[in-house]
Amino acid sequence: FTATVTPGSAAGYSSPAVSLERSDDGGTTWTPVRNGTLIPGSFGVGTVIADREAPRGTPVLYRANQRSTFTGGALSTSAW
């Protein structure tokens, strides 16, 4: 399975990084996708993340978030 995550942009932000998690129990628990945490990206450009460990024959939910640097160096993390 692959997911494409595209960081959104806002004035004053730079250096976006995206993360992807999976749930195979309907969203009760979440597990980071291997090699899918804080992947450097570019605003408005999709980052493809492969999940090679997703369970077969089981419905899986995915969620993503974005972390960016605000002017002055403060980090901002989006909701999942």
Side-chain angles (χ1 to χ4, degrees), residues 3-73:
T4 301
V5 181
T6 304
S9 63
Y13 287 89
S14 63
S15 306
V18 296
S19 296
L20 186 68
E21 293 185 343
R22 109 171 69 74
S23 174
D24 60 7
D25 61 8
T28 301
T29 60
W30 293 91
T31 303
V33 171
R34 185 183 302 270
N35 299 319
T37 302
L38 296 176
I39 306 287
S42 297
F43 292 119
V45 178
T47 299
V48 177
I49 302 170
D51 184 5
R52 302 191 192 313
E53 299 173 342
R56 295 178 185 253
T58 302
V60 178
L61 299 173
Y62 288 90
R63 67 182 185 179
N65 80 349
Q66 168 184 326
R67 186 178 85 176
S68 300
T69 304
F70 189 66
T71 303

